[in-house]
Amino acid sequence: MKQSRNNKFLWGGATAANQYEGAWKEDGRGMANVDLIPSGQSRYEVMSGRKVSFAFDEKLNYPAAEGVDFYHHYEEDIRLFHEMGFRCFRLSVSWTRIYPNGDEDMPNEKGLEFYEKVFRECQKYGIEPVVTICHFDCPVGLIQSIGAWKSRKMIDQYLKLCTTLFKRFKGMVKYWITFNEINMILHAPFMAAGIVIEDGEDELQVKYQASHYELVASALATKLAHEIDPENHVGCMIAAGDVYPYTCNPEDIWASKLADRENYFFIDVQVRGAYPSYALRFFEQKGVKLDMTEGDIQALAAYPCDYISLSYYSSSLVSADPEMKDKTEGNLFPTLRNPYLSASDWGWQIDPLGLRITLNSLYDRYQKPLFIVENGLGAKDELVNDTVEDDYRIDYLRSHIRAMKDAMKIDGVDVIGYTTWGCVDLVSASSGEMRKRYGFIYVDKKDDGRGTMKRYRKKSFDWYRRCIESDGEQLL
């Protein structure tokens, strides 16, 4: 596959509409699942689908509603991305900005106009858009009417969205990702797919059935994309990070293999076009009975993805010993604490060699081009004299870029691009906080919503500009 219009490595940054865009009800946008996830103590209960309300509670804070207002700052932000030398910009569309309730026959023209303006602005600066079709977005209207991805009907609604996007933005967007971190449905089903877990439901059955419908939708979206524009490249995406065994005890080795399989399962289907035997046996053992038609099987086999995109923040660690309880946080994946690794302010362990290991694992398994579309450090930044001295972020990114280059140059892994997560400060998906900042650009906004939204360049801004300019050679 081609790397980009100018055939260069795709350096850039990544965002998500529900953490970045704001303007949740402007110009006809409807309500989405992600709008209803509050910050604070109840956040995970809502993300997991166990405590869901379809109306705002005035006592709670809903950070996605305002994000950091990309909706009104897109020109400024894209200009800053150009100043850093971005070759690509990963963003997502808000499903409800295009189909407010999800089931309309015609799209919301105002929503399409907004994204067209964004893509035209990218074109102006030679920045390749990398568009995630569904970055956890799900219309509330479809959750209430059909149960979201619990229903096969959701496939048609998703494909309607895809058809609209592929036709409207033909020639403007060539890189697509069907679902963000598709394996997250097992860990946060309401946030990832609008899934509400009802009393008495078999949660495993619900999550894997919804996963199957998403996998079929992804395959059919790939078919559509290639039919509408043969130049389109369609990727799948996984929240990645190899799982290490705690010891060389074979029981720990087996525990790590099972944990890896839980994630690989999705990509096995999207790349190889069929359910692996270990997954089918797992379903049999757990009593999971999928609604899977002959048409589903044929679609999965006929329309694999073109490339594999991934987020990587850290490796994980598991033990077969149930008494091992010294855990720390990760990307919604709590993990045993690795004594050989340091950690971020939020307990996410820092393992740059783990990125090289993960890239090798994925490439050895699939031999498909890889695209790192999320990698970064969430930290407590302090704005002083209109900048942030974020050497800790530079250190993190430098070590991970070096690991990526080693995977490419020494190990022969085919990596086509690298986009840092939250290139401009935005709302944290895991915690709902603003103080957990990832960006090269500081946004004046606090956890309680106060702030001017003014943008400031951090020290890392110029560092990343030099990195891109030198194609990753200048990392000091």
Side-chain angles (χ1 to χ4, degrees):
M1 61 177 281
K2 298 176 184 177
Q3 287 193 345
S4 66
R5 287 188 176 90
N6 53 17
N7 208 32
K8 289 185 176 181
F9 187 81
L10 290 167
W11 294 99
T15 61
N18 67 85
Q19 296 165 255
Y20 183 37
E21 204 170 277
W24 82 270
K25 59 180 179 180
E26 282 196 45
D27 293 329
R29 182 187 179 277
M31 182 178 281
N33 59 326
V34 284
D35 299 324
L36 294 165
I37 303 174
S39 57
Q41 294 182 342
S42 62
R43 186 172 180 83
Y44 185 72
E45 283 186 288
V46 175
M47 289 194 295
S48 66
R50 299 184 181 282
K51 186 181 179 181
V52 176
S53 170
F54 294 110
F56 291 132
D57 183 336
E58 61 182 20
K59 297 176 184 176
L60 299 176
N61 176 43
Y62 296 89
E66 188 178 40
V68 293
D69 200 25
F70 176 66
Y71 197 75
H72 298 106
H73 289 261
Y74 71 91
E75 291 175 298
E76 176 187 4
D77 286 356
I78 294 170
R79 185 169 63 250
L80 288 166
F81 300 157
H82 168 64
E83 191 178 325
M84 272 188 283
F86 278 21
R87 297 174 187 172
C88 72
F89 171 38
R90 181 196 170 207
L91 70 159
S92 71
V93 296
S94 168
W95 190 333
T96 57
R97 201 173 289 289
I98 297 172
Y99 287 99
N101 201 57
D103 59 1
E104 293 88 353
D105 292 329
M106 299 298 294
N108 174 29
E109 181 60 26
K110 287 286 187 181
L112 290 170
E113 286 174 359
F114 168 69
Y115 292 113
E116 182 166 342
K117 287 187 290 185
V118 168
F119 299 147
R120 294 290 184 202
E121 199 70 13
C122 288
Q123 276 188 330
K124 182 169 82 175
Y125 294 114
I127 297 172
E128 191 90 56
V130 179
V131 177
T132 309
I133 298 166
C134 183
H135 195 126
F136 299 156
D137 268 47
C138 179
V140 166
L142 294 179
I143 300 172
Q144 293 179 312
S145 64
I146 62 174
W149 287 100
K150 290 181 180 181
S151 171
R152 177 175 288 276
K153 294 177 182 177
M154 196 69 167
I155 297 174
D156 288 337
Q157 299 298 346
Y158 175 81
L159 294 177
K160 178 177 63 178
L161 171 67
C162 291
T163 301
T164 299
L165 294 174
F166 298 152
K167 288 183 175 179
R168 178 65 173 255
F169 303 121
K170 182 179 180 179
M172 300 177 69
V173 178
K174 295 189 180 297
Y175 288 87
W176 303 90
I177 298 169
T178 52
F179 290 95
N180 177 71
E181 295 182 330
I182 193 168
N183 52 324
M184 203 62 79
I185 196 172
L186 301 180
H187 304 274
F190 181 74
M191 180 178 76
I195 299 295
V196 178
I197 306 298
E198 306 287 356
D199 290 342
E201 277 191 315
D202 182 336
E203 185 171 342
L204 208 60
Q205 170 72 34
V206 168
K207 291 193 289 192
Y208 277 107
Q209 184 64 72
S211 298
H212 174 71
Y213 292 146
E214 285 196 351
L215 290 167
V216 173
S218 180
L220 294 173
T222 303
K223 173 180 183 287
L224 273 174
H226 292 157
E227 287 174 349
I228 292 170
D229 186 352
E231 293 293 309
N232 278 332
H233 305 300
V234 185
C236 56
M237 185 186 171
I238 182 176
D242 269 32
V243 182
Y244 303 154
Y246 192 76
T247 70
C248 56
N249 182 335
E251 296 291 335
D252 285 355
I253 305 292
W254 183 241
S256 72
K257 180 173 284 292
L258 292 177
D260 274 334
R261 277 180 170 178
E262 183 178 89
N263 293 323
Y264 286 142
F265 148 73
F266 293 89
I267 312 303
D268 281 350
V269 177
Q270 290 178 291
V271 172
R272 294 172 170 169
Y275 278 80
S277 58
Y278 68 80
L280 296 175
R281 183 56 58 87
F282 173 80
F283 295 155
E284 182 182 328
Q285 292 168 347
K286 297 295 183 180
V288 173
K289 298 178 180 179
L290 297 183
D291 166 30
M292 188 188 308
T293 68
E294 188 61 36
D296 295 348
I297 295 169
Q298 291 172 1
L300 293 173
Y303 310 113
C305 65
D306 300 317
Y307 64 93
I308 300 165
S309 61
L310 64 139
S311 60
Y312 176 85
Y313 295 95
S314 184
S315 57
S316 297
L317 185 66
V318 296
S319 170
D321 183 356
E323 298 302 313
M324 294 292 295
K325 300 185 185 300
D326 184 18
K327 292 191 174 184
T328 187
E329 294 301 314
N331 184 17
L332 291 184
F333 305 103
T335 175
L336 290 176
R337 196 180 306 275
N338 190 325
Y340 297 98
L341 302 177
S342 61
S344 74
D345 295 336
W346 274 262
W348 294 27
Q349 298 181 118
I350 299 172
D351 183 11
L353 180 56
L355 175 58
R356 181 179 178 181
I357 293 167
T358 298
L359 291 172
N360 274 273
S361 293
L362 288 168
Y363 197 64
D364 287 351
R365 192 176 182 99
Y366 300 116
Q367 291 85 51
K368 282 270 189 179
L370 305 180
F371 194 160
I372 302 167
V373 294
E374 289 185 29
N375 176 237
L377 178 70
K380 299 172 183 175
D381 292 345
E382 184 179 357
L383 186 70
V384 178
N385 296 323
D386 291 348
T387 191
V388 176
E389 297 291 324
D390 58 341
D391 293 282
Y392 41 85
R393 179 168 293 108
I394 293 171
D395 290 343
Y396 177 97
L397 294 173
R398 178 192 293 122
S399 63
H400 284 76
I401 290 170
R402 281 175 174 160
M404 174 186 72
K405 290 172 64 183
D406 285 345
M408 296 169 68
K409 293 184 176 182
I410 299 174
D411 308 330
V413 176
D414 182 8
V415 183
I416 62 173
Y418 174 86
T419 60
T420 66
W421 176 247
C423 46
V424 51
D425 289 346
L426 37 69
V427 176
S428 166
S430 59
S431 68
E433 297 169 305
M434 272 304 303
R435 68 191 184 103
K436 186 181 182 186
R437 298 175 181 272
Y438 284 87
F440 304 112
I441 301 163
Y442 184 95
V443 178
D444 177 28
K445 185 183 178 184
K446 305 294 187 290
D447 283 347
D448 62 8
R450 291 180 297 118
T452 64
M453 297 290 186
K454 186 174 179 180
R455 273 64 167 155
Y456 299 88
R457 297 167 184 80
K458 302 179 189 179
K459 183 177 181 179
S460 57
F461 184 100
D462 283 330
W463 175 85
Y464 197 49
R465 177 185 55 76
R466 294 193 300 273
C467 170
I468 296 174
E469 191 175 52
S470 66
D471 224 12
E473 295 300 314
Q474 179 58 49
L475 294 173
L476 299 178

